[in-house]
Amino acid sequence: MNWETLFFFQATALYQLAAFPFAILFHYLCASGNLSINARYTFLLVGGFLLAWAAMGCYALLLLISAFSSLAVIRSAGPQQVHTWAFFVQMTWQTLCHLGLHYKEYYLQEAASNLLLCFRLPIALSALMLMTQKVTSLALDIHENKVRVGLPSEERRSFCWHLLQALPLCTYLLCFPTLLGGPLCSFHRFQAWVRYSKAPFSSGLLWAATQKGLGALTLGLLNNIVRGYISALDNLIDCTHFDCVYVVWSSALSFRLTYYSHWLLDESLFLAAGLGLDLGHHQCPAAADRVVMDTDIWTLETTNTIAGFTRTWNKSTAQWLRRLIFQQSNSHPLLATFAFSAWWHGLRPGQVFGFLCWAVMVEADYRFHRFLGSVAKSRLQRLLYQTVTWCHTQLVVAYIMIAVEMRSVSMLWQLLSSYNSFFPLVSVTVLLLLVKK
């Protein structure tokens, strides 16, 4: 794992840990009834401002500009146009910010000489990507009449009235428990959670948060041990033949452990603030919209299908992409989804290649398992089929993950010219044969 990525995850984890006492305090104050509804929104919003300033410094302005621009669009556009305008404004701003990061990293080469740039600007862009999820999810909810906001015709109301109407929306975009990470929560689920005043302080929820926090710590320690024994990704330049396969697979394992640890910590903060509280469908109908947690390590590490891995990897984001792009596309929805994912992640060469390769692998995986699953009849055949496809899935996923994380074209070329490319080529060959058949 390159040191910039490692430094980014460690810095984000420190700020998430610093937010824990405030999340628990908020949960306790809400349960004790000491905070009014507007006070709860204000607590979360002020906490978001403070966390953004601490973690991002002056780059927090990028996030605030995005939040208030999206808020203006949502409050002014009609339900039929709000999704289109919100998507356009948010993705345009996020793309400009990503281009600014690429300019600083590759042209000015500031990242290597400026430690603050190594994590402050990337943290701001990571939070901006999460902001895009919230904005587009909310805009789709408004478009589908699941959420109603104040209409533009209500202009004669007082300024304070407009401010109070905008407070829940602004808090949803900038609240501190989900500012730097965490599963995507819909606006009406978030609103129901803040407004529900009769829920007691949940020791079970706090215990679940503690378990996830301990899990994150354990995986972080395990990752440190793994990094001590694996070959560095830079060894891809000097490795030969199938030695390169071990280098890529072991580096991808370290990446996966890092992501698992990061997601578990995000979910721990999410639960500590009370966001995972089961409000009950009868007491609060909006709570029927369940929050999907991102981390399902068992499924990710045991699945023998690339499609199954794709649906489970960062699960709430996968469902968001499915709703935003896949279900809205009339032509080639799978390719459109992965192309947008590359755009959303920042359009580095490795990301463009990695996500487009991922789309091809998923399509090949669908066809391959549909064909071979019907051929393997006996118990031994099915065991062999599952073992071979699990190994193939592990190696293809490692190839894609390393490609996406590559920051230089030269390193990407080293990956493409190594023996690791054999496994995606097998999938492409199978796809071509099955399509022809």
Side-chain angles (χ1 to χ4, degrees):
M1 177 177 290
N2 57 69
W3 66 271
E4 295 97 336
T5 303
L6 182 62
F7 196 41
F8 162 77
F9 278 116
Q10 289 177 341
T12 304
L14 286 176
Y15 288 114
Q16 293 285 68
L17 287 171
F20 261 89
F22 302 98
I24 297 172
L25 175 63
F26 176 78
H27 188 183
Y28 174 77
L29 291 175
C30 287
S32 61
N34 293 328
L35 290 179
S36 66
I37 301 300
N38 288 334
R40 296 177 188 185
Y41 283 125
T42 304
F43 188 109
L44 293 169
L45 183 59
V46 172
F49 284 142
L50 294 175
L51 182 59
W53 175 79
M56 306 168 203
C58 62
Y59 294 114
L61 285 174
L62 302 178
L63 199 65
L64 297 180
I65 291 171
S66 171
F68 292 122
S69 299
S70 299
L71 187 63
V73 170
I74 289 170
R75 294 283 298 169
S76 59
Q80 299 304 316
Q81 297 82 30
V82 65
H83 172 57
T84 302
W85 277 105
F87 180 89
F88 174 77
V89 170
Q90 184 64 26
M91 284 306 299
T92 299
W93 179 246
Q94 182 182 304
T95 302
L96 289 174
C97 293
H98 269 130
L99 290 176
L101 175 63
H102 299 339
Y103 176 75
K104 286 178 172 290
E105 281 186 344
Y106 299 115
Y107 186 75
L108 299 181
Q109 296 183 345
E110 290 184 6
S113 58
N114 190 341
L115 288 178
L116 289 179
L117 179 64
C118 284
F119 73 90
R120 288 203 186 277
L121 182 54
I123 286 177
L125 289 178
S126 176
L128 193 59
M129 291 169 66
L130 296 174
M131 178 82 69
T132 299
Q133 286 188 328
K134 296 175 187 176
V135 168
T136 52
S137 176
L138 174 57
L140 266 178
D141 284 342
I142 296 171
H143 180 72
E144 297 171 358
N145 295 318
K146 294 179 179 178
V147 171
R148 185 181 179 275
V149 296
L151 298 176
S153 59
E154 298 171 338
E155 293 174 356
R156 294 185 180 179
R157 301 273 188 171
S158 67
F159 174 76
C160 291
W161 185 90
H162 282 287
L163 198 62
L164 289 176
Q165 288 295 307
L167 182 60
L169 297 174
C170 195
T171 305
Y172 172 66
L173 298 179
L174 291 168
C175 71
F176 73 90
T178 60
L179 186 72
L180 302 183
L184 177 63
C185 174
S186 68
F187 175 71
H188 49 282
R189 178 66 173 82
F190 171 80
Q191 199 171 32
W193 163 65
V194 174
R195 289 183 174 179
Y196 189 61
S197 59
K198 297 179 182 179
F201 185 78
S202 176
S203 58
L205 206 61
L206 191 59
W207 172 239
T210 303
Q211 286 180 309
K212 286 185 177 289
L214 292 174
L217 177 62
T218 302
L219 289 176
L221 294 174
L222 178 61
N223 194 17
N224 286 332
I225 296 173
V226 168
R227 282 203 303 269
Y229 288 94
I230 66 174
S231 300
L233 196 55
D234 293 337
N235 292 344
L236 194 60
I237 300 174
D238 304 321
C239 66
T240 57
H241 307 311
F242 283 101
D243 289 341
C244 298
V245 176
Y246 171 73
V247 171
V248 166
W249 179 83
S250 58
S251 297
L253 175 62
S254 178
F255 273 117
R256 292 204 302 276
L257 289 173
T258 301
Y259 278 109
Y260 296 157
S261 177
H262 183 67
W263 292 340
L264 284 173
L265 186 61
D266 292 341
E267 291 170 6
S268 180
L269 179 62
F270 186 85
L271 294 172
L275 256 174
L277 195 64
D278 185 5
L279 303 181
H281 177 62
H282 298 291
Q283 295 170 309
C284 186
D289 176 28
R290 295 290 179 182
V291 177
V292 177
M293 294 298 176
D294 289 324
T295 314
D296 187 353
I297 300 175
W298 176 258
T299 301
L300 288 169
E301 294 301 322
T302 59
T303 182
N304 67 323
T305 67
I306 299 171
F309 182 93
T310 304
R311 286 191 298 269
T312 311
W313 178 261
N314 201 355
K315 193 178 291 185
S316 66
T317 297
Q319 293 194 1
W320 168 70
L321 288 169
R322 181 180 182 84
R323 183 189 180 203
L324 181 71
I325 305 297
F326 189 88
Q327 294 177 350
Q328 309 294 328
S329 300
N330 297 322
S331 177
H332 305 293
L334 186 67
L335 183 61
T337 302
F338 280 97
F340 172 77
S341 188
W343 179 21
W344 180 62
H345 277 85
L347 289 176
R348 283 193 177 97
Q351 291 167 340
V352 174
F353 170 78
F355 282 108
L356 293 181
C357 176
W358 199 340
V360 175
M361 296 301 103
V362 170
E363 182 63 31
D365 187 72
Y366 278 134
R367 296 177 182 271
F368 175 75
H369 286 281
R370 193 180 303 139
F371 170 75
L372 199 60
S374 61
V375 173
K377 300 294 185 182
S378 68
R379 185 175 180 180
L380 181 60
Q381 286 176 335
R382 294 197 67 83
L383 179 61
L384 180 62
Y385 154 72
Q386 291 175 352
T387 303
V388 172
T389 52
W390 177 81
C391 292
H392 184 72
T393 297
Q394 286 280 314
L395 294 169
V396 168
V397 164
Y399 182 86
I400 293 169
M401 188 172 293
I402 295 302
V404 169
E405 295 291 343
M406 287 293 186
R407 292 177 176 262
S408 68
V409 177
S410 59
M411 287 297 293
L412 180 61
W413 176 249
Q414 291 293 331
L415 176 67
L416 293 173
S417 59
S418 71
Y419 272 44
N420 292 280
S421 296
F422 169 78
F423 304 104
L425 284 175
V426 169
S427 294
V428 171
T429 303
V430 169
L431 176 61
L432 294 174
L433 290 175
L434 291 178
V435 167
K436 193 172 182 180
K437 182 176 180 180

